[in-house]
Amino acid sequence: MVGSVWAALGLSLTCISALSLISPAWFQTTTFSFGVLTYCSWPQGNSWNQSCGTFRSLDDIPDFAWKVSAVTLLGGWLLLAFNAILFLSWALAPKGLCPRRGSGPMPGLQATAAIATIVGLLVFPISLASPFAKEACLASSVYHSGQCRLGWGYVTAIFYAVLASLLPTFRWLHVTEVQRRTILFSSDTESIILVPEMSK
């Protein structure tokens, strides 16, 4: 049961991360928006008639900080997707095939993916000083968006990074039953004492 919950959470985070990566709405103005891998423009007052493009390779991305951010965010997403696939296979495998100790096959992988994503999120606003962002946002600079406002894609990426970094701390919710016995901690010996339950 716990493995299924972790697999579902891992798959959900992978989908949220993918959505934010392909989103062109990280920073936006009234006629233009851009994200890590995509950008869109539209006529004033008609946002339904968008013309969008993608950065197909690292050479197409206009700034070095932008490239670093794209690589770390994509790397974090790949780690998270790999972790979700491992959790899914671990949760669906027959009980005798995989050991059921702990809360998953590779607990540190999700934390590593979260760290990579946080680094990418911190590096991306440095690219606001690039000529591409300055033209789109008018007078933008490092960590200053000029005329651009924060879009839902960047907020979604922040939300995903917070969730991905907090989930490994929730491992303490995994409760095991020790053959219907009460567990006491002795402060003198720092050990666990098992006491059988007494009927009243």
Side-chain angles (χ1 to χ4, degrees), residues 29-53:
T29 64
T30 56
T31 60
F32 191 80
S33 67
F34 62 93
V36 177
L37 302 174
T38 56
Y39 56 91
C40 291
S41 63
W42 55 89
Q44 183 78 25
N46 188 5
S47 62
W48 291 101
N49 189 15
Q50 294 186 2
S51 172
C52 297

Side-chain angles (χ1 to χ4, degrees), residues 12-98:
S12 300
L13 283 177
T14 303
C15 293
I16 291 170
S17 176
L19 181 66
S20 68
L21 266 176
I22 62 171
S23 165
W26 281 45
F27 289 98
Q28 56 192 29
T29 64
T30 56
T31 60
F32 191 80
S33 67
F34 62 93
V36 177
L37 302 174
T38 56
Y39 56 91
C40 291
S41 63
W42 55 89
Q44 183 78 25
N46 188 5
S47 62
W48 291 101
N49 189 15
Q50 294 186 2
S51 172
C52 297
T54 60
F55 301 114
R56 296 185 185 272
S57 70
L58 282 178
D59 293 333
D60 295 341
I61 295 176
D63 187 51
F64 180 73
W66 201 325
K67 292 176 186 181
V68 169
S69 179
V71 167
T72 57
L73 287 168
L74 192 58
W77 180 80
L78 288 172
L79 287 173
L80 192 65
F82 182 66
N83 189 45
I85 290 168
L86 280 177
F87 267 125
L88 187 62
S89 63
W90 178 74
L92 297 176
K95 287 192 178 192
L97 187 61
C98 297

Side-chain angles (χ1 to χ4, degrees), residues 142-159:
V142 175
Y143 292 103
H144 176 70
S145 62
Q147 299 292 324
C148 286
R149 65 184 191 281
L150 206 57
W152 66 266
Y154 195 73
V155 174
T156 305
I158 292 169
F159 174 70

Side-chain angles (χ1 to χ4, degrees), residues 105-130:
M106 297 180 78
L109 198 57
Q110 187 166 357
T112 307
I115 290 169
T117 303
I118 290 169
V119 168
L121 288 172
L122 291 174
V123 170
F124 187 73
I126 295 173
S127 65
L128 289 170
S130 70

